[in-house]
Amino acid sequence: DAEITQSPRHKITETGRQVTLACHQTWNHNNMFWYRQDLGHGLRLIHYSYGVHDTNKGEVSDGYSVSRSNTEDLPLTLESAASSQTSVYFCASSESIPDTQYFGPGTRLTVL
Amino acid sequence: DAKTTQPPSMDCAEGRAANLPCNHSTISGNEYVYWYRQIHSQGPQYIIHGLKNNETNEMASLIITEDRKSSTLILPHATLRDTAVYYCIVRATGANSKLTFGKGITLSVRP
């Protein structure tokens, strides 16, 4: 069955380190998204992509970057991890029609 | 995207129907109503969406008022596994396909 996976599921890192979170989907969806979820803020959009080599900033993109070299993957990179980036990160994908987003299981990131 | 208003929480008995309300009084003509839910520690899960007609799938039914200013998600026979946060989201489809999640409504299904 087609699916969307995230790795690692849990990560502990130190302030200042570069961290990359992986997202892989097998639906061949054009659209992919990264969200973070924190208590009191709900889900907030970090970056999104509408296709290979396309990337766009969401509402909380500072300190994060993405690149889309193929349809299946959209890795999220924290250039220099900060404690404020401790959060649960969700990846999602969708096809344009129907425009329904399907979410991965999440990655819990702790920055010490 | 138009703003939605949901009560913070509700509960229902297992086996009974759960009716989750949502107000979206500023919805535009091209905006759909989407419902997602998030079970504790899991990623959000798509439930259903609609434009103006009532919709039903294997998970739920969506009832949208004629003026489209409010809607109700119906889980016909709630189970304990339906305990989750339910998000009502209003958005247009197409190139700008971002979802904006509010606080949602916490549904607690009691035995």
Side-chain angles (χ1 to χ4, degrees):
Chain A
D1 286 344
E3 60 178 356
I4 182 166
T5 57
Q6 295 183 234
S7 62
R9 295 295 312 279
H10 301 272
K11 173 85 176 173
I12 299 174
T13 191
E14 295 177 343
T15 301
R17 290 191 179 269
Q18 184 181 78
V19 177
T20 297
L21 308 182
C23 175
H24 179 80
Q25 52 98 3
T26 58
W27 283 301
N28 205 36
H29 285 166
N30 284 330
N31 308 328
M32 295 185 73
F33 309 83
W34 273 104
Y35 296 84
R36 61 177 288 175
Q37 186 170 34
D38 308 286
L39 277 175
H41 284 101
L43 282 111
R44 292 181 290 174
L45 183 64
I46 306 171
H47 281 288
Y48 57 101
S49 168
Y50 290 143
V52 177
H53 303 309
D54 175 74
T55 61
N56 305 278
K57 293 182 178 181
E59 61 177 308
V60 290
S61 60
D62 287 349
Y64 303 94
S65 64
V66 293
S67 63
R68 187 90 179 271
S69 59
N70 59 52
T71 301
E72 296 79 17
D73 299 288
L74 186 69
L76 177 71
T77 297
L78 287 67
E79 303 294 346
S80 177
S83 57
S84 60
Q85 294 176 308
T86 292
S87 187
V88 180
Y89 292 85
F90 291 102
C91 178
S93 72
S94 74
E95 191 49 88
S96 297
I97 300 172
D99 191 15
T100 301
Q101 291 189 21
Y102 296 93
F103 286 78
T107 293
R108 184 175 296 275
L109 176 68
T110 302
V111 182
L112 301 175
Chain B
D1 292 358
K3 186 176 178 180
T4 62
T5 303
Q6 301 177 256
S9 63
M10 66 177 291
D11 63 21
C12 74
E14 189 176 20
R16 305 295 296 269
N19 298 304
L20 288 73
C22 180
N23 288 322
H24 31 79
S25 59
T26 60
I27 190 170
S28 300
N30 66 338
E31 289 180 318
Y32 288 72
V33 180
Y34 279 75
W35 283 84
Y36 280 76
R37 74 179 182 183
Q38 188 172 22
I39 297 169
H40 182 62
S41 298
Q42 298 182 20
Q45 177 188 23
Y46 166 78
I47 302 173
I48 198 167
H49 74 284
L51 183 62
K52 53 185 176 181
N53 297 321
N54 297 339
E55 302 287 344
T56 295
N57 62 21
E58 64 278 5
M59 290 184 67
S61 295
L62 175 60
I63 308 299
I64 303 173
T65 58
E66 192 169 342
D67 63 7
R68 302 209 322 123
K69 293 185 177 181
S70 66
S71 60
T72 301
L73 178 74
I74 301 173
L75 307 178
H77 304 287
T79 70
L80 298 178
R81 284 179 287 186
D82 291 322
T83 293
V85 178
Y86 288 77
Y87 298 96
C88 170
I89 300 166
V90 169
R91 60 189 284 256
T93 60
N96 246 354
S97 60
K98 301 183 294 295
L99 285 173
T100 301
F101 286 81
K103 295 186 185 302
I105 177 173
T106 299
L107 172 67
S108 300
V109 180
R110 61 180 186 275

